[in-house]
Amino acid sequence: MTKRAPTADTTALPTAPADTGRRAFLKTAGTTAAATVAASSLPRAFAQKKAINIGFIPLTDCASIVMAEELGYFKKYGVEVNVVKQASWAAVRDGLLSGDLHASHLLYSLPLSVYTGVGGAPGKEIPIAMVLDNNGQAITLSTSLAAAAGTDLKKSGAAINAMIAAKKAPTLAVTFPGGTHDIWMRYWLAAMGVPQSKVGIIVVPPPQMVANMKVGNMDGFCVGEPWGGVAVDQGIGFTALTTQQLWKNHPEKVLGLNKDFSARTDEVKAVMRAVLDASAWLDSLPNRRAASKIISASRYVNAPEDVIRDRLEGRYQMGAGQGTRQFLGDQMMFSRSAQTNAPRHAHAIWFLAQYVRFGLLKQAPDYQAVANRLLMTDLYAQVAKEAGLKVPADDMTPFTVTLDHAKFDPRNPAAYIKANPIPV
């Protein structure tokens, strides 16, 4: 197919982000006991230096940041926050490195990508305070690739390899080099037996995915909701794979911090407490309808409320004749009784191992040292304890990826890479 030049991911960060202001407090805020703490457990008052700018990309999984503002949780913990929409992950990266953003909704692996040089600025640190969500991303293909629909990986791989053999290799879009969506796409291709070197992989900002595929710039994309659902709703694409089908309860977005801001411990802890409360509120399914209405607004995600709501509730119209699939308990999750929110070294090492496996890094990094440098696990444990939440005891526990049943031992990533070669 003839493709136009895709929209480049080079958007500059606004120099003076606008204050979103206080939103209406939802009366339903008090309905979730897990999101409520006694006044006696609130942190002591502290002198906040200035309003905290927290970035987000228009994706459904920005919800815990947005709802922490909308439900008044940031004010509850004594911090003034500006929730600031961003145009691309590159803009978020630049804002966090420059300090224009103090914190942001962020791809789990973006700090790893930046630090190792896959996504620019090698050696620059973007600390990870906590995980925001599991699951809820999707690989979407154009309706012209309907032969690749379904859960049979051999059938789907054969359809894509046939395109390659006919010199019609597909172009596939991801959201940031070495980001979660880049890794999900490459992992899926490898599991199907498709050489990643034979397809085009380009970078497009999340909100521009549907428009770019509609005009023929690419044949598929991997991104967070609601954009996979929007493509199905508009009849231009179908869901080939959800990421919960790839790896159930995988880490997806995190609260990433500016390095200097990460040292302002009291303020960081207050932000984390607010987001933990919002995460628990969101995992009460009746609250998701209210959240869908709020985050669908133009100032946030700017997408149809019903599309956001359906996939938040686990109801997926898959497209391409696949019907409706119901995900319950493995749709997008924000808390899972705080099982979601702990940053785990094993997960960071897994992403770094994929960089080596897929050739994004030519040699293995010091896996443990990179994970130790970027993950604020001690601070998370302290915040969780103060909130009365249990910290999972699986920080370095081996696990199995759902899609291809590959076992990963974070203490021996070299053996994993050797045992799981990619097709060439």
Side-chain angles (χ1 to χ4, degrees):
M1 63 188 294
T2 301
K3 300 178 178 64
R4 305 179 188 178
T7 305
D9 191 13
T10 57
T11 308
L13 181 72
T15 56
D19 189 339
T20 58
R22 279 293 301 121
R23 310 300 179 197
F25 183 89
L26 297 185
K27 293 182 179 179
T28 50
T31 61
T32 304
T36 305
V37 297
S40 61
S41 70
L42 294 177
R44 293 180 180 178
F46 52 85
Q48 185 178 352
K49 294 184 178 181
K50 59 181 179 179
I52 298 167
N53 293 329
I54 302 182
F56 73 94
I57 290 286
L59 293 164
T60 300
D61 55 23
C62 74
S64 57
I65 301 291
V66 169
M67 296 312 300
E69 170 68 6
E70 292 280 349
L71 294 167
Y73 291 147
F74 289 127
K75 285 193 178 295
K76 170 184 174 181
Y77 289 102
V79 285
E80 180 185 350
V81 163
N82 297 325
V83 178
V84 190
K85 183 186 283 192
Q86 303 292 294
S88 69
W89 292 119
V92 173
R93 172 200 62 198
D94 295 345
L96 287 170
L97 292 177
S98 70
D100 288 337
L101 293 175
H102 299 98
S104 188
H105 162 241
L106 194 67
L107 299 164
Y108 184 105
S109 55
L110 189 148
L112 304 170
S113 176
V114 169
Y115 186 79
T116 58
V118 173
K124 294 291 186 180
E125 296 179 31
I126 299 175
I128 294 171
M130 60 183 288
V131 178
L132 298 180
D133 65 296
N134 303 135
N135 309 321
Q137 319 300 294
I139 292 172
T140 302
L141 298 181
S142 166
T143 51
S144 63
L145 273 67
T151 58
D152 186 331
L153 289 175
K154 289 185 178 180
K155 174 178 173 289
S156 299
I160 294 176
N161 280 324
M163 294 178 65
I164 294 170
K167 301 190 183 304
K168 297 178 180 179
T171 297
L172 305 170
V174 299
T175 62
F176 188 83
T180 55
H181 304 122
D182 189 15
I183 300 308
W184 307 142
M185 181 68 80
R186 293 175 189 274
Y187 201 100
W188 176 67
L189 290 171
M192 292 191 300
V194 176
Q196 61 179 315
S197 61
K198 304 294 186 181
V199 303
I201 298 179
I202 61 174
V203 174
V204 174
Q208 299 174 20
M209 287 293 192
V210 173
N212 271 277
M213 193 158 77
K214 186 179 292 186
V215 298
N217 288 340
M218 70 266 203
D219 305 284
F221 59 79
C222 183
V223 73
E225 295 302 340
W227 305 115
V230 169
V232 174
D233 187 60
Q234 294 186 4
I236 65 169
F238 65 92
T239 300
L241 186 79
T242 68
T243 54
Q244 52 264 46
Q245 292 173 304
L246 191 155
W247 174 9
K248 183 179 178 180
N249 292 332
H250 66 80
E252 180 53 40
K253 303 299 190 302
V254 296
L255 180 68
L257 305 178
N258 165 265
K259 176 65 173 175
D260 291 339
F261 178 68
S262 70
R264 288 160 54 179
T265 306
D266 285 341
E267 291 165 273
V268 173
K269 288 170 65 176
V271 168
M272 292 170 69
R273 287 293 299 273
V275 173
L276 282 169
D277 281 8
S279 299
W281 184 89
L282 282 160
D283 269 7
S284 175
L285 287 180
N287 291 337
R288 293 195 173 196
R289 293 214 161 198
S292 299
K293 183 175 182 64
I294 290 169
I295 68 173
S296 68
S298 59
R299 66 181 179 272
Y300 293 132
V301 178
N302 194 26
E305 177 187 344
D306 60 334
V307 175
I308 293 175
R309 181 189 66 237
D310 283 354
R311 293 206 167 188
L312 258 184
E313 293 180 347
R315 189 168 48 256
Y316 283 55
Q317 294 290 339
M318 302 291 282
Q322 299 177 95
T324 302
R325 176 158 184 156
Q326 186 75 49
F327 294 92
L328 287 175
D330 60 350
Q331 74 271 53
M332 188 178 291
M333 301 297 289
F334 297 89
S335 175
R336 292 193 299 124
S337 300
Q339 292 293 304
T340 292
N341 306 116
R344 294 164 172 84
H345 286 81
H347 295 165
I349 293 169
W350 183 87
F351 278 106
L352 292 169
Q354 303 312 312
Y355 291 174
V356 177
R357 182 183 177 219
F358 296 136
L360 301 177
L361 288 177
K362 299 306 179 186
Q363 59 183 24
D366 186 333
Y367 294 101
Q368 192 70 57
V370 175
N372 289 346
R373 183 169 291 275
L374 296 178
L375 270 59
M376 302 180 72
T377 51
D378 290 344
L379 181 65
Y380 175 80
Q382 183 181 348
V383 171
K385 182 179 179 180
E386 292 173 359
L389 301 172
K390 185 178 180 181
V391 178
D394 58 354
D395 181 60
M396 286 289 286
T397 301
F399 57 87
T400 300
V401 176
T402 310
L403 185 67
D404 58 357
H405 309 293
K407 296 181 179 180
F408 183 75
D409 183 350
R411 301 187 188 280
N412 195 354
Y416 162 84
I417 294 168
K418 184 177 180 180
N420 293 275
I422 64 171
V424 294

